[in-house]
Each structure stands twice: as C-alpha cells, then as structure tokens.
Amino acid sequence: MRDFLLDDADRAFRAEVRDFLQRELAPRAADIEDRQSWDAVRHVVRALGAAGYLKLMFPDLYKGKLEHPGLTHATILSEEASYINYAFETTIATALSCAYPLHRHASERLRDTYLTPILEGTAIGAICVTEPNVGSDSAGMETRIEFDEARDEWVINGFKRYISNASVADVYIVYGLTGDGMTAVAVPKNAKGISFPRNYTFMGRRGCIVGEVKFENCRVPADHLLGDKGGGFRIMRGMFNFERAILGGSGLGVARSAFDIATAHAQTRKSFGQALGCKQLIWDKIAQMSWRIDASELITYRATKMYDAGADGKALMKEAAMAKLVATETANYCADETVQILGGDGLTKEYGRAEQLYRDARALTIVGGTSEVAKYLIAGRDLPDIRITL
Ligand SMILES: Cc1cc2nc3c(=O)[nH]c(=O)nc-3n(C[C@H](O)[C@H](O)[C@H](O)COP(=O)(O)OP(=O)(O)OC[C@H]3O[C@@H](n4cnc5c(N)ncnc54)[C@H](O)[C@@H]3O)c2cc1C
C-alpha cells in the first residue's frame, strides 16, 4: 500500500472523490484536451463547488462528512483530478491559491464578495505574481501599488504574465511594491484599468487558460487590501507553501497515470517472445518509477499532514518545497519513461494518453517555483550557518 500516511477516513474520502471525478471529469477530459473546452472545465468546477469539495482547505467553512478536513484532502482531490486531467486540476489549484489569502487576510465583506463564490464553484480566482522581467526573483517585481488618499483607493500599475485563469477569473490577487515592501490587493475582473492583452499557447495543459494581465491606473477601494500594507511577502510565502504541497498532489496524479499505462503495456506487449516487462531494461524502469512514486507520496502527505497539524510559514517551507520538487520531478521521469516503454504508441494520440502526460508533466517543474528554487529553499534550511543565494 502506498498511502502509508493516510488514515481510513482519508482513504474513504479518496474513494468518494475518485467516484465523483469519474462521473464528472472523466467524460469531459477529451473535450478539455482535444477541444480546449472552457465550458467543460467550468462545468466540473461548478460540480465540485456544489458538492462542497472546494472548501476542504477551510475547515471553518466546510460542511461535509469529513471530521477533520484540510490540506491533505485538498491534495488528494488534486491528485485524483490530475490523474484524469492535469489541465483541469490547474484551474482549481489556482482558484484555491486565490481563495487562501482571501480566507486568511480579507475583510468579512471581501470574503462574502469574492471568497464565497469561488468556494461554491460559481466564480474563478487567479494569482498575479510573475512579470516579464521577474519570475523566480519575485521580490524584484516592477508592479507598483499606491494609495490615493483623496479617493480612498489603491492604484495599481504593472504587467503580469503567465497568469493561470487570466481573463476567465472573476477576481485576481495582485502582488506589487508599495515602497515599504510588497503588498497584496484583490482586484475584480470588472475593475477600471485591468485588461487581458493575450493568452498563451502551451505545449501541454491544453484546456486551461494562461495569459497576461495588465494594470493601467487600475483602481480598487481601500478595503481591497489583504492583510497589512507592506505585508504581502508573508502572505505570498504562506500561499506558496500550500500551493507547493498541492503541486505534490498534481505531480503524483500525473506520475501514477503514466505508471498505470506503463505497467499495463509492459505486461501485455510481447517482444522477442516474452512480455516486455520480463526484460531487465524494462523492469528496471518500472521499479524506478515505483519507488519514486512511493517517495513522492510519503513526502507530499508529510507536508500536508504537517500543515493540517498547524505548521505554516517558515516551519513548512522546506517540506512543502520538497513535496513539490520530488513529486513534479517524478511526474516528468514517469511520463518520459512511459513514452519510452510504449515505443511509437507513446508518441501518438491514437494509442492513448502517454504523449499528453509527457507534454503536461513538463510544466510541473516550472510552475509554483521551479525545481531550482525548491532546492534553494531546502538547502537554505539545511545550511543555517551560511547565507546561500540563488
Ligand atoms: C503554465 C504556467 C502557469 C503559470 N501560472 C502562474 C500564475 O497563475 N501566477 C503567476 O504569478 N505565475 C504563474 N506562472 C509563472 C511561473 O511561476 C514562473 O514561470 C516560474 O516562477 C519561473 O519564472 P520564469 O518563467 O520567469 O523563469 P526565470 O525565473 O527566468 O527562470 C528561468 C530558469 O532559470 C532558473 N533560475 C532562475 N534564477 C536562478 C538562479 N539564481 N540560480 C539558478 N537557476 C536560476 C529557473 O529555475 C529556471 O529554470 C505560470 C507559469 C506557467 C508556465
């Protein structure tokens, strides 16, 4: 059994959510991948919201069957969704990354306006950190947020790119500099001065929307501030912790999906008179995938269980980064080896999903902080007596 750190309630939840996604997501997966159907994505987001699954991360709001809901269950949901279609899962993971700072740092009024609809699946959220000149080095961002005292409004100027759910999201958490540090504000889609210059075409993750968001003297009321002015970096760090643990689930889902295709093929495909899996060069690949998936699972659910037990901020940074690093590298390893084990079948859409998993997996080691950034965060904790730099 792989899920060593999960208990019976977690396993029952996994079975329940797997059934749910088989009903709601699996029949729409081809629409999402082949026709890039946003309607299909929206349908499943609504269904998840209506079933209460988008509230798993927020025990005070969750009203379902689980006695102790939390990040572990949100990550199980991500894992099971990514197993079927990683592009779809990115939409809900991003919406939850938007919900997280709203839940922790927004006023009651803002939570009613923006958070509730996201968690009910009737609205979509986005996170705006990355810019043309700033990716990994987020502290160097160029977006400016100023306070206009006369009108009691925040004024945002900047350009964000690679923003998941850009143009389809109803609310954007925007990070920018205020002179005293980084600040986060919530910006609704209909705010004056926000625009969406273009969406990108990616090699994988087909069906999810990623694009640019421009802020030109964009104004939001004073109460759209999250937390304190200048306190945005702390908010962002908390958000990344949770996002990286969830990305552990995304990586696991993709890795397991590839592994199941590879093991089925290795047992049925005959070569030189025997099943492929009889050959040492092939069973070695299966064993390598298998231990990497187990390690990813242990490391990912260690991080989620730590979070659910109250660890956060600096106390979770290393473990969350490790979950993201190990599971997303594993997804790439497994998707790559699966294509190899399938031979020509691995490269064609006509013979299954291996080629899709290979394309989808590639984004995983880049989004939410690259593998290099994750290693920096891990080593930074392991070398406390020196200051390592990126
Ligand atoms: C599909 C997709 C969806 C995304 N969604 C969002 C989103 O919703 N919101 C958002 O804000 N951003 C989003 N991003 C952006 C993502 O977070 C960034 O792409 C990522 O942080 C890397 O930034 P970059 O692309 O600018 O690469 P860079 O930071 O320019 O890095 C390029 C390469 O250099 C490496 N590198 C950088 N600095 C160092 C160093 N000092 N030492 C060693 N190596 C280094 C990096 O690890 C990477 O391999 C998304 C990206 C993609 C591809």
Side-chain angles (χ1 to χ4, degrees):
M1 170 147 311
R2 289 208 169 102
D3 58 2
F4 179 69
L5 291 179
L6 303 187
D7 61 24
D8 287 346
D10 301 334
R11 287 190 194 110
F13 173 76
R14 186 194 286 282
E16 174 192 315
V17 88
R18 191 175 281 177
D19 277 358
F20 181 92
L21 291 167
Q22 277 304 325
R23 270 196 319 276
E24 297 291 343
L25 176 58
R28 294 175 176 82
D31 255 5
I32 295 171
E33 165 69 12
D34 299 335
R35 288 171 280 289
Q36 305 194 37
S37 165
W38 179 246
D39 284 349
V41 172
R42 258 338 252 111
H43 172 93
V44 187
V45 173
R46 274 199 199 91
L48 282 169
Y53 290 135
L54 299 179
K55 293 185 181 157
L56 289 163
M57 278 282 301
F58 309 107
D60 57 322
L61 304 176
Y62 173 84
K63 301 272 183 293
K65 278 189 283 187
L66 283 166
E67 208 173 326
H68 301 292
L71 181 58
T72 298
H73 304 98
T75 305
I76 291 172
L77 171 65
S78 276
E79 183 185 338
E80 293 300 327
S82 295
Y83 182 92
I84 298 170
N85 183 281
Y86 168 52
F88 167 78
E89 187 271 342
T90 65
T91 307
I92 52 166
T94 306
L96 290 179
S97 296
C98 174
Y100 176 89
L102 285 170
H103 179 258
R104 288 211 165 182
H105 304 286
S107 66
E108 194 73 29
R109 191 178 83 81
L110 228 57
R111 285 171 52 148
D112 287 348
T113 312
Y114 301 127
L115 176 65
T116 306
I118 291 176
L119 300 186
E120 289 175 351
T122 55
I124 298 279
I127 293 290
C128 298
V129 177
T130 309
E131 301 180 356
N133 294 323
V134 174
S136 305
D137 179 19
S138 53
M141 62 178 52
E142 293 169 355
T143 294
R144 292 283 177 272
I145 302 179
E146 288 166 335
F147 192 60
D148 178 348
E149 288 198 15
R151 290 172 58 176
D152 207 23
E153 287 174 341
W154 295 100
V155 185
I156 307 141
N157 279 289
F159 192 96
K160 300 287 184 180
R161 68 168 183 163
Y162 296 146
I163 305 306
S164 300
N165 298 342
S167 77
V168 290
D170 301 278
V171 61
Y172 299 78
I173 305 301
V174 184
Y175 292 87
L177 300 184
T178 34
D180 53 356
M182 194 183 286
T183 293
V185 291
V187 180
K189 182 180 185 173
N190 58 5
K192 197 168 164 287
I194 188 173
S195 60
F196 309 99
R198 67 169 164 169
N199 288 336
Y200 298 106
T201 306
F202 283 100
M203 62 186 278
R205 300 192 2 158
R206 290 189 182 155
C208 73
I209 292 170
V210 182
E212 297 170 343
V213 188
K214 187 174 176 185
F215 302 92
E216 251 176 323
N217 290 321
C218 175
R219 289 176 172 269
V220 291
D223 72 350
H224 280 47
L225 173 71
L226 299 182
D228 299 321
K229 179 168 168 285
F233 192 76
R234 202 173 50 83
I235 296 177
M236 192 167 77
R237 188 173 61 194
M239 179 194 81
F240 273 138
N241 270 346
F242 126 76
E243 188 182 337
R244 286 176 186 144
I246 290 238
L247 272 159
S250 322
L252 262 172
V254 171
R256 274 182 37 224
S257 209
F259 183 75
D260 286 354
I261 293 170
T263 49
H265 192 80
Q267 292 173 97
T268 51
R269 174 77 174 169
K270 299 279 187 299
S271 187
F272 297 92
Q274 279 178 307
L276 260 187
C278 295
K279 308 295 177 188
Q280 185 178 352
L281 282 173
I282 301 297
W283 59 249
D284 174 78
K285 292 185 197 299
I286 299 292
Q288 298 269 1
M289 285 193 243
S290 190
W291 70 255
R292 283 176 162 86
I293 291 173
D294 271 22
S296 301
E297 183 149 310
L298 288 166
I299 290 173
T300 295
Y301 289 107
R302 175 182 69 176
T304 68
K305 292 271 172 185
M306 282 177 68
Y307 177 93
D308 290 338
D312 205 353
K314 276 190 181 162
L316 191 62
M317 220 153 72
K318 175 179 167 183
E319 287 76 9
M322 218 183 254
K324 202 264 167 186
L325 174 69
V326 176
T328 62
E329 292 287 346
T330 293
N332 274 280
Y333 182 88
C334 291
D336 187 27
E337 291 292 39
T338 297
V339 168
Q340 194 65 25
I341 289 172
L342 265 65
D345 292 359
L347 300 169
T348 58
K349 272 200 175 295
E350 285 70 16
Y351 288 104
R353 291 181 67 236
E355 64 84 33
Q356 180 194 340
L357 291 166
Y358 180 82
R359 287 184 287 101
D360 281 354
R362 199 62 195 84
L364 278 162
T365 57
I366 293 171
V367 297
T370 62
S371 288
E372 289 77 8
V373 168
K375 285 174 189 165
Y376 160 76
L377 294 173
I378 294 164
R381 294 306 298 271
D382 290 334
L383 300 169
D385 295 340
I386 57 168
R387 185 172 150 67
I388 69 162
T389 54
L390 256 173

